[in-house]
Amino acid sequence: MRRRVLSANFYVLLAALAAALAACPALAQPGTARASETISIPDHTVEIDVILRQGQQMELQRRWEEALTHYEEASRRYPGDRGLQRRFEFARLHYELGRRYCDQSFLHVTANLPPDEALDLYTQVLLKIQAHYVETPNWKELVERGTNNFEVALSEPAFLERHLLVQDYQALEEFRRELYGMLGPRVVVSRTDACDAVATAAHLAEARLKIAPTAVVLEYLCGAANTLDPYSAYLTPDQLTDVYSQIEGNFVGLGIELKAKEGALLIVRVIGGSPAEDAGIRNGDRIVAVDGRSTRDLSTDEAADLLRGEAGSAVELSVVGPDQQARQLIVHRRRVEVPSVDQVRIIDRDRGIGYCRLTCFQKTTCSDLDAALWELHRDGMSSLIIDLRGNPGGLLTASVEVADKFIDRGIIVSTRGRNTQEDFTYSAHVTGTWRMPLVVLIDQDSASAAEIFAGAIRDHRRGTIVGARSYGKGSVQGIFPLSLTSAGVRLTTAKFFSPTGRPYSRVGVEPDVVVQVAARPADGQIDLQAAVEDAMLAAALQSARNLDALR
């Protein structure tokens, strides 16, 4: 379908070019020699082939988390390439299955939920999709996606070792043929048809392979939810708890953000005042063992599961710093408050230029920012830089509240969904508006709610946007708990649009001042010396000075 649309647009483009050439007097006069012109269309075939080969190596080594990130980044560079999109979707199926099967809350549900209740849970998910998803569901496609997901499960050791007592590959192949033979021609035009098809698949798997029906139904459920788009997903009970913790801005743990890299767990961020910071863990450290278990073959989610525990419990970490010095640490878990606003300071004392970084948009962001603004005001702030680099978003309402602090009137953002209940227009209010000159820093990782804020500032000409084009996530997700278990589902319910009606999805926010190279200060501290080493912050400082000079 997408190829046909692109093809039609291409012919429209050629027609427009032909009309433009015919209308140009210098080219249209009889007897006038025309210079030959060539229209050059970039061909990225070689680059994409290299990316696909690199990704294939990651797939062969079952490094699904790295493969997923690899394809995601590539898809953002080459958004029209279907090959990259297909590999992204394939890697995501494997990655999500790996996450589920190292999640104790999911394993508990799989082991204890009766088959009939599993089908009821699947029905609940389909009801949520029918009622809330941004697009009209195609029931046949949802079943087919479930079958694809189950096919992935039948190739994953984590699933097979738990559910297939005897791994008979010939029996597996015969089952696959029989399953596709039964479901392929099946008519599925309603939610009831979809449930019946999944029940049939579960019964067949039990009869032929002795796989528990609940495990099969849950794979069909995840296949339906997780393949709607990159942001919709089934949430295990533990994942749902984590989502609520992120919204509230607090959780029990160590207070670190990490990612798997080169056989270790790289510490991306240590939250101020957390147990990890108190224990001496710093950004850039690598965890190489947890309670004596090597992290070499652990995914981020497997490691997170090992690090999770009750408040007051302890975990032993083997940590290696950037200097390659190893150290053993005992860290006690406790409740961590996650600040959504940090690094609040005056970074140019002579000009009174304030700075603060918004790490996310959560329930506390509005009050956190209020406190930061008054602190800067008392310290002599005359203009402000708000840093949204790396901000993944969060609550739409929080971003609206923050934008409302700087915009006195007009639309901040509008949302449009399949249901009119999802159509909203959020507008600014004069009361409580801060009017100092404003600069907003964004990069390729500024997404969702961060883009709502930056886009509103840009469209209202309220400040200068500096940095790199943002991520381009232009959709709103709702969180829907499921009654039969403590699990839930995250669904895209609407698309959001800038004050001037421009979409954000796959477009993002284009800065007023583009900075090609961004190097963040290694120690996380912001000052004038760091700005010399940080091209984006240096450009933001210059923009703030220019705005100050115009006052």
Side-chain angles (χ1 to χ4, degrees):
M1 186 64 162
R2 184 176 296 276
R3 260 197 301 274
R4 287 200 294 271
V5 172
L6 290 174
S7 177
N9 288 340
F10 182 67
Y11 290 125
V12 170
L13 173 63
L14 290 182
L17 286 169
L21 290 172
C24 180
L27 295 176
Q29 290 177 0
T32 303
R34 297 189 181 188
S36 61
E37 297 189 8
T38 301
I39 300 172
S40 178
I41 299 175
D43 185 356
H44 300 294
T45 303
V46 175
E47 295 96 322
I48 291 172
D49 283 346
V50 171
I51 291 168
L52 290 172
R53 284 198 299 272
Q54 292 170 339
Q56 185 180 32
Q57 288 301 310
M58 296 175 190
E59 292 181 25
L60 290 172
Q61 297 169 18
R62 313 195 78 82
R63 291 154 50 199
W64 296 113
E65 185 174 3
E66 292 178 52
L68 184 65
T69 301
H70 176 73
Y71 291 131
E72 181 182 19
E73 291 174 351
S75 295
R76 286 164 63 185
R77 290 201 303 273
Y78 309 107
D81 190 86
R82 288 297 303 155
L84 287 174
Q85 185 62 33
R86 283 193 295 271
R87 298 323 299 170
F88 169 82
E89 293 166 357
F90 181 73
R92 187 187 176 199
L93 291 180
H94 283 272
Y95 169 69
E96 292 291 352
L97 186 138
R99 290 187 71 193
R100 290 194 295 277
Y101 275 84
C102 70
D103 185 321
Q104 293 301 315
S105 67
F106 178 80
L107 296 179
H108 178 79
V109 170
T110 306
N112 294 283
L113 191 67
D116 57 337
E117 291 188 16
L119 281 168
D120 288 343
L121 190 67
Y122 181 73
T123 301
Q124 272 194 52
V125 170
L126 294 189
L127 277 168
K128 300 294 186 187
I129 293 172
Q130 184 176 32
H132 302 287
Y133 189 61
V134 68
E135 296 175 4
T136 302
N138 181 313
W139 304 114
K140 177 74 170 179
E141 283 186 6
L142 289 184
V143 173
E144 289 174 348
R145 291 170 183 172
T147 302
N148 290 340
N149 196 61
F150 184 42
E151 175 81 17
V152 165
L154 292 175
S155 71
E156 276 291 328
F159 182 90
L160 294 174
E161 289 168 7
R162 184 170 289 271
H163 297 295
L164 198 63
L165 299 179
V166 179
Q167 296 190 26
D168 183 336
Y169 293 103
Q170 183 177 348
L172 274 175
E173 286 304 312
E174 291 174 356
F175 168 76
R176 287 187 178 100
R177 285 194 294 271
E178 189 173 358
L179 178 66
Y180 282 106
M182 289 178 62
L183 295 187
R186 193 180 184 112
V187 175
V188 182
V189 295
S190 68
R191 194 178 67 250
T192 302
D193 290 343
C195 292
D196 290 343
V198 170
T200 298
H203 291 318
L204 183 67
E206 183 181 30
R208 300 291 184 269
L209 302 175
K210 310 302 181 188
I211 296 177
T214 294
V216 179
V217 173
L218 289 178
E219 290 309 306
Y220 271 85
L221 184 158
C222 293
N226 293 8
T227 58
L228 290 168
D229 59 59
Y231 311 112
S232 296
Y234 170 76
L235 300 172
T236 70
D238 281 352
Q239 288 171 351
L240 183 62
T241 299
D242 288 344
V243 167
Y244 286 145
S245 296
Q246 291 167 17
I247 291 172
E248 296 292 340
N250 63 75
F251 62 93
V252 171
L254 306 185
I256 55 176
E257 293 179 15
L258 48 80
K259 68 177 180 180
K261 185 176 182 181
E262 298 174 355
L265 299 171
L266 177 67
I267 304 296
V268 178
R269 179 191 174 207
V270 178
I271 296 171
S274 67
E277 184 183 60
D278 294 345
I281 297 175
R282 299 291 178 261
N283 294 349
D285 283 347
R286 291 176 296 124
I287 299 175
V288 296
V290 178
D291 285 333
R293 179 178 174 183
S294 172
T295 60
R296 177 170 296 279
D297 299 318
L298 294 182
S299 69
T300 303
D301 287 285
E302 288 171 324
D305 195 53
L306 289 179
L307 296 173
R308 186 181 284 113
E310 298 293 328
S313 62
V315 61
E316 182 179 357
L317 304 179
S318 300
V319 177
V320 176
D323 58 1
Q324 303 306 310
Q325 292 295 314
R327 57 195 194 275
Q328 297 294 121
L329 301 173
I330 302 292
V331 188
H332 289 82
R333 303 174 179 93
R334 68 168 184 262
R335 183 160 296 280
V336 178
E337 298 294 330
V338 183
S340 60
V341 181
D342 67 7
Q343 299 182 24
V344 180
R345 62 203 307 164
I346 300 293
I347 60 172
D348 186 337
R349 183 67 59 182
D350 294 338
R351 303 293 184 94
I353 299 175
Y355 172 94
C356 66
R357 177 171 175 256
L358 271 63
T359 60
C360 61
F361 288 88
Q362 60 193 30
K363 277 189 175 181
T364 63
T365 301
C366 189
S367 58
D368 290 347
L369 184 60
D370 270 337
L373 290 172
W374 284 111
E375 177 185 335
L376 290 168
H377 175 71
R378 289 189 294 269
D379 207 16
M381 172 182 64
S382 61
S383 59
L384 176 65
I385 297 171
I386 294 181
D387 193 342
L388 298 179
R389 290 177 294 173
N391 185 317
L395 293 177
L396 180 149
T397 51
S399 69
V400 169
E401 290 172 346
V402 170
D404 198 8
K405 293 183 182 301
F406 302 99
I407 299 168
D408 59 5
R409 59 177 55 84
I411 295 172
I412 292 174
V413 67
S414 59
T415 65
R416 302 172 204 162
R418 177 167 57 92
N419 255 321
T420 55
Q421 298 174 3
E422 303 294 341
D423 295 348
F424 293 99
T425 298
Y426 299 86
S427 299
H429 307 86
V430 175
T431 306
T433 302
W434 290 78
R435 303 182 186 279
M436 82 288 282
L438 185 65
V439 176
V440 178
L441 266 169
I442 61 173
D443 67 5
Q444 66 277 5
D445 295 320
S446 305
S448 190
E451 294 175 289
I452 289 175
F453 175 77
I457 297 300
R458 178 200 61 191
D459 279 12
H460 284 283
R461 299 298 177 198
R462 174 59 185 84
T464 303
I465 312 298
V466 175
R469 183 169 67 86
S470 64
Y471 185 91
K473 180 184 178 294
S475 57
V476 181
Q477 281 71 48
I479 307 299
F480 304 96
L482 301 171
S483 62
L484 284 174
T485 66
S486 300
V489 65
R490 180 175 59 232
L491 297 175
T492 296
T493 58
K495 305 288 187 181
F496 58 77
F497 299 83
S498 78
T500 57
R502 287 185 287 188
Y504 290 100
S505 185
R506 297 177 179 263
V507 177
V509 177
E510 195 68 38
D512 302 306
V513 178
V514 178
V515 183
Q516 297 293 343
V517 179
R520 298 180 193 172
D523 60 1
Q525 298 300 310
I526 299 297
D527 54 29
L528 286 175
Q529 180 59 38
V532 173
E533 302 168 3
D534 184 342
M536 280 193 179
L537 183 57
L541 267 170
Q542 187 57 51
S543 294
R545 289 165 181 157
N546 293 343
L547 290 173
D548 184 64
L550 293 173
R551 298 179 70 182

